[in-house]
Amino acid sequence: MSQRLRVHWLRAIEITYAIVALFALTQGPVLRLWRPSEALLESLPNPSISHAHFATYVAVQIPAVLMWARRVDTRWLRDRQNQMLAGLLSWLGLSVLWSTFARHSLPEIVSLVLTTGFGLYLASSFSGRQFWMIVSSAMAIGVVVSWIAVMRLWDGAVNFQEGYWVGIYFNRNSLAPVTAVAILGTIGLVVKLISEEGRLRRTSILALCLIALSVACMAAVELWNSGSRTSPSALGVASLVCMLWLVVRKLSDSLRLAPLFRRNLIPILITAVSVAIFFALRFETATGGVETQTTAFNQRSGLWSLSWAGFLEKPWHGWGWMSAWHTPLFFLSSQEPTWMAWDLEWSHNGYHDLLLGGGIPAAVLFAAYVWTGSRRATQSAISQAAPQLLLTTFVLAAATQESFFIGSHFLWALLVASLALKPVRNTSVD
């Protein structure tokens, strides 16, 4: 076998691995894999199912982390964005020392570090086209298998009582992000294929675009039938931020605004929209025609009150990463009786999880990481920056309703990857 052919096959194998690993991090496949073992818990309780899940996620991600560690050099830590990320992980890792439930915090921080490494691997090991192909392909597997599960009425694939689809993900709020990212991945792939028209045959581009659009249509149907409001709302926020960026970018070029403003345009827009969403949720105004107090989009006000009260108890160092909800003292921090105390493990809000886990330093480091990371997109062509911005803002918006800033979850890996993508200069598609 020639050296060139060998390299080609090794690259194909690596891309296949990345697709399968990202698909596994959507969590549904891993939960399904170990579902039969749950029936043996009464007779064989050890090791627990959570041990099997943890070991599976570790085994899936370790090859990527090792390949990334081999390919990266000491210059990586000279980047301000990477310094913020390393600082965030280090601080959350140190929180294990004062955690109120350290034996839970330790595997959680290991998972977070591994998934961060997997995201960095995706961003640094593949070209822009390969990255979006991996994202769209991994999500397409989840979409297609969930479609089969619904059509063949697999156990738990459809909630007949309330009339919504679940697929292979056990929860509609776990199915919906997969379908939403499938749509975003399709957009990124199609835009990238069109921008690289000169490098590929036109028939190949047309065939790939048709396949991608077919998956996007299937994903849209599943998203609608999931009945989830979190992911559609996050898609709306992401679309709004992207359109605002395109408009303001055009105006800033026409008006020749200060270079400093143009370099920080995306971080400024993300910050402005974040503040608007905060006040919309804080004052319980209607969001997209949905009353936040009374709908499934946000029946979380009690959860967040409890989280906020717990944060005020330990504002500077937190309770330890992901340990608060396992600590009885945490539930005494709020005097309001809530339904959220029923065997929950997180805040249903990634930002509250950061505040509870690492206090104000964790929140500051995360904000600095997002600010410095989102500046990368301002240096890229529209064909690269627009899909990248859509994915970033989708994850940031969705995290206001669910705990997506956790290890072994594909959205955290994709957030890290989207913020770490290498800038791509202007092309003819712009």
Side-chain angles (χ1 to χ4, degrees), residues 262-290:
R262 285 184 285 180
R263 285 197 301 269
N264 292 283
L265 177 56
I266 289 179
I268 291 171
L269 283 176
I270 290 177
T271 302
V273 174
S274 299
V275 171
I277 292 175
F278 170 80
F279 281 105
L281 296 176
R282 178 67 180 83
F283 294 109
E284 299 171 350
T285 57
T287 304
V290 180

Short mmCIF file of all heavy atoms in Angstrom, two decimals, residues 262-290:
data_model
loop_
_atom_site.label_atom_id
_atom_site.label_comp_id
_atom_site.label_asym_id
_atom_site.label_seq_id
_atom_site.Cartn_x
_atom_site.Cartn_y
_atom_site.Cartn_z
N ARG A 262 -15.10 46.56 15.62
CA ARG A 262 -15.32 45.49 14.64
C ARG A 262 -14.70 44.18 15.09
O ARG A 262 -15.25 43.10 14.86
CB ARG A 262 -14.76 45.91 13.27
CG ARG A 262 -15.64 46.93 12.56
CD ARG A 262 -15.14 47.25 11.18
NE ARG A 262 -13.96 48.12 11.23
CZ ARG A 262 -13.32 48.54 10.14
NH1 ARG A 262 -13.71 48.16 8.94
NH2 ARG A 262 -12.29 49.35 10.26
N ARG A 263 -13.54 44.24 15.76
CA ARG A 263 -12.90 43.02 16.24
C ARG A 263 -13.70 42.35 17.35
O ARG A 263 -13.63 41.14 17.54
CB ARG A 263 -11.48 43.32 16.72
CG ARG A 263 -10.47 43.56 15.62
CD ARG A 263 -9.06 43.44 16.16
NE ARG A 263 -8.79 44.39 17.23
CZ ARG A 263 -8.29 45.61 17.04
NH1 ARG A 263 -8.01 46.01 15.81
NH2 ARG A 263 -8.06 46.40 18.07
N ASN A 264 -14.44 43.17 18.10
CA ASN A 264 -15.21 42.64 19.22
C ASN A 264 -16.71 42.63 18.96
O ASN A 264 -17.51 42.54 19.89
CB ASN A 264 -14.93 43.48 20.48
CG ASN A 264 -13.52 43.32 20.98
OD1 ASN A 264 -13.17 42.32 21.59
ND2 ASN A 264 -12.67 44.30 20.70
N LEU A 265 -17.10 42.70 17.69
CA LEU A 265 -18.50 42.81 17.35
C LEU A 265 -19.30 41.60 17.83
O LEU A 265 -20.36 41.74 18.44
CB LEU A 265 -18.66 42.98 15.83
CG LEU A 265 -20.10 43.04 15.30
CD1 LEU A 265 -20.88 44.15 15.99
CD2 LEU A 265 -20.10 43.24 13.79
N ILE A 266 -18.81 40.40 17.57
CA ILE A 266 -19.55 39.19 17.98
C ILE A 266 -19.65 39.08 19.49
O ILE A 266 -20.75 38.85 20.02
CB ILE A 266 -18.92 37.94 17.34
CG1 ILE A 266 -19.21 37.92 15.84
CG2 ILE A 266 -19.43 36.66 18.00
CD1 ILE A 266 -18.62 36.73 15.10
N PRO A 267 -18.55 39.26 20.26
CA PRO A 267 -18.71 39.24 21.71
C PRO A 267 -19.67 40.28 22.24
O PRO A 267 -20.43 40.01 23.18
CB PRO A 267 -17.28 39.49 22.22
CG PRO A 267 -16.39 39.07 21.11
CD PRO A 267 -17.15 39.36 19.86
N ILE A 268 -19.66 41.47 21.63
CA ILE A 268 -20.57 42.53 22.07
C ILE A 268 -22.02 42.12 21.82
O ILE A 268 -22.90 42.29 22.69
CB ILE A 268 -20.24 43.85 21.35
CG1 ILE A 268 -18.90 44.40 21.85
CG2 ILE A 268 -21.36 44.88 21.57
CD1 ILE A 268 -18.39 45.58 21.06
N LEU A 269 -22.30 41.55 20.66
CA LEU A 269 -23.67 41.13 20.34
C LEU A 269 -24.13 40.00 21.27
O LEU A 269 -25.26 40.00 21.76
CB LEU A 269 -23.75 40.69 18.89
CG LEU A 269 -23.78 41.79 17.84
CD1 LEU A 269 -23.75 41.19 16.43
CD2 LEU A 269 -25.02 42.66 17.99
N ILE A 270 -23.24 39.03 21.51
CA ILE A 270 -23.59 37.93 22.41
C ILE A 270 -23.89 38.46 23.81
O ILE A 270 -24.86 38.05 24.46
CB ILE A 270 -22.46 36.89 22.45
CG1 ILE A 270 -22.38 36.15 21.11
CG2 ILE A 270 -22.68 35.89 23.58
CD1 ILE A 270 -21.24 35.15 21.02
N THR A 271 -23.08 39.41 24.26
CA THR A 271 -23.30 40.00 25.58
C THR A 271 -24.62 40.75 25.64
O THR A 271 -25.39 40.61 26.60
CB THR A 271 -22.15 40.96 25.94
OG1 THR A 271 -20.91 40.24 25.90
CG2 THR A 271 -22.35 41.55 27.31
N ALA A 272 -24.91 41.54 24.60
CA ALA A 272 -26.16 42.32 24.58
C ALA A 272 -27.39 41.41 24.59
O ALA A 272 -28.35 41.65 25.34
CB ALA A 272 -26.17 43.22 23.35
N VAL A 273 -27.37 40.38 23.77
CA VAL A 273 -28.49 39.45 23.72
C VAL A 273 -28.61 38.67 25.02
O VAL A 273 -29.71 38.40 25.51
CB VAL A 273 -28.37 38.50 22.52
CG1 VAL A 273 -29.46 37.43 22.55
CG2 VAL A 273 -28.45 39.29 21.21
N SER A 274 -27.48 38.33 25.63
CA SER A 274 -27.50 37.62 26.91
C SER A 274 -28.15 38.47 28.00
O SER A 274 -28.96 37.96 28.80
CB SER A 274 -26.07 37.26 27.33
OG SER A 274 -25.46 36.41 26.39
N VAL A 275 -27.82 39.75 28.02
CA VAL A 275 -28.44 40.65 29.00
C VAL A 275 -29.94 40.75 28.76
O VAL A 275 -30.74 40.73 29.70
CB VAL A 275 -27.78 42.04 28.94
CG1 VAL A 275 -28.55 43.05 29.78
CG2 VAL A 275 -26.33 41.96 29.40
N ALA A 276 -30.34 40.84 27.49
CA ALA A 276 -31.77 40.92 27.16
C ALA A 276 -32.51 39.66 27.60
O ALA A 276 -33.61 39.73 28.17
CB ALA A 276 -31.95 41.14 25.66
N ILE A 277 -31.90 38.49 27.36
CA ILE A 277 -32.54 37.23 27.77
C ILE A 277 -32.61 37.15 29.29
O ILE A 277 -33.62 36.71 29.86
CB ILE A 277 -31.75 36.03 27.21
CG1 ILE A 277 -31.89 35.98 25.69
CG2 ILE A 277 -32.25 34.72 27.81
CD1 ILE A 277 -31.05 34.90 25.04
N PHE A 278 -31.56 37.60 29.96
CA PHE A 278 -31.56 37.57 31.42
C PHE A 278 -32.73 38.37 31.99
O PHE A 278 -33.46 37.90 32.86
CB PHE A 278 -30.24 38.12 31.96
CG PHE A 278 -30.24 38.35 33.44
CD1 PHE A 278 -30.07 37.29 34.31
CD2 PHE A 278 -30.43 39.62 33.96
CE1 PHE A 278 -30.07 37.49 35.68
CE2 PHE A 278 -30.44 39.84 35.34
CZ PHE A 278 -30.25 38.77 36.20
N PHE A 279 -32.91 39.59 31.47
CA PHE A 279 -33.98 40.41 32.00
C PHE A 279 -35.36 39.88 31.59
O PHE A 279 -36.33 39.99 32.33
CB PHE A 279 -33.82 41.87 31.56
CG PHE A 279 -32.78 42.61 32.36
CD1 PHE A 279 -31.54 42.89 31.83
CD2 PHE A 279 -33.06 43.00 33.66
CE1 PHE A 279 -30.58 43.56 32.57
CE2 PHE A 279 -32.11 43.67 34.42
CZ PHE A 279 -30.87 43.96 33.87
N ALA A 280 -35.43 39.26 30.40
CA ALA A 280 -36.70 38.67 29.97
C ALA A 280 -37.11 37.54 30.92
O ALA A 280 -38.28 37.43 31.31
CB ALA A 280 -36.58 38.14 28.54
N LEU A 281 -36.16 36.70 31.29
CA LEU A 281 -36.46 35.62 32.22
C LEU A 281 -36.61 36.13 33.65
O LEU A 281 -37.44 35.62 34.42
CB LEU A 281 -35.35 34.56 32.16
CG LEU A 281 -35.20 33.83 30.82
CD1 LEU A 281 -34.01 32.88 30.88
CD2 LEU A 281 -36.46 33.06 30.46
N ARG A 282 -35.80 37.11 33.99
CA ARG A 282 -35.83 37.63 35.36
C ARG A 282 -37.17 38.27 35.70
O ARG A 282 -37.72 38.08 36.78
CB ARG A 282 -34.71 38.66 35.54
CG ARG A 282 -34.67 39.32 36.91
CD ARG A 282 -34.30 38.32 37.98
NE ARG A 282 -34.24 38.93 39.30
CZ ARG A 282 -35.29 39.14 40.07
NH1 ARG A 282 -36.50 38.78 39.67
NH2 ARG A 282 -35.15 39.71 41.27
N PHE A 283 -37.71 39.02 34.78
CA PHE A 283 -38.98 39.70 35.04
C PHE A 283 -40.17 38.94 34.47
O PHE A 283 -41.28 39.46 34.40
CB PHE A 283 -38.93 41.12 34.48
CG PHE A 283 -37.93 41.98 35.19
CD1 PHE A 283 -36.76 42.37 34.57
CD2 PHE A 283 -38.16 42.39 36.49
CE1 PHE A 283 -35.83 43.15 35.22
CE2 PHE A 283 -37.23 43.18 37.16
CZ PHE A 283 -36.06 43.56 36.53
N GLU A 284 -39.93 37.70 34.02
CA GLU A 284 -40.99 36.79 33.61
C GLU A 284 -41.90 37.39 32.54
O GLU A 284 -43.12 37.33 32.60
CB GLU A 284 -41.82 36.38 34.83
CG GLU A 284 -41.00 35.65 35.85
CD GLU A 284 -41.75 35.43 37.14
OE1 GLU A 284 -42.82 36.02 37.29
OE2 GLU A 284 -41.24 34.67 37.98
N THR A 285 -41.25 37.98 31.56
CA THR A 285 -42.01 38.48 30.42
C THR A 285 -42.25 37.35 29.45
O THR A 285 -41.67 36.27 29.56
CB THR A 285 -41.23 39.61 29.72
OG1 THR A 285 -39.96 39.11 29.32
CG2 THR A 285 -41.05 40.79 30.64
N ALA A 286 -43.10 37.60 28.47
CA ALA A 286 -43.36 36.57 27.47
C ALA A 286 -42.16 36.41 26.56
O ALA A 286 -41.58 37.39 26.11
CB ALA A 286 -44.59 36.95 26.64
N THR A 287 -41.78 35.17 26.28
CA THR A 287 -40.66 34.88 25.39
C THR A 287 -41.19 34.11 24.19
O THR A 287 -41.58 32.97 24.32
CB THR A 287 -39.59 34.06 26.11
OG1 THR A 287 -39.17 34.75 27.29
CG2 THR A 287 -38.40 33.82 25.21
N GLY A 288 -41.20 34.75 23.04
CA GLY A 288 -41.72 34.09 21.86
C GLY A 288 -43.19 33.75 21.99
O GLY A 288 -43.67 32.76 21.45
N GLY A 289 -43.94 34.59 22.70
CA GLY A 289 -45.36 34.33 22.87
C GLY A 289 -45.66 33.28 23.92
O GLY A 289 -46.77 32.80 24.04
N VAL A 290 -44.65 32.94 24.76
CA VAL A 290 -44.83 31.89 25.75
C VAL A 290 -44.68 32.50 27.13
O VAL A 290 -43.68 33.13 27.44
CB VAL A 290 -43.76 30.79 25.55
CG1 VAL A 290 -43.95 29.69 26.58
CG2 VAL A 290 -43.85 30.22 24.14
#
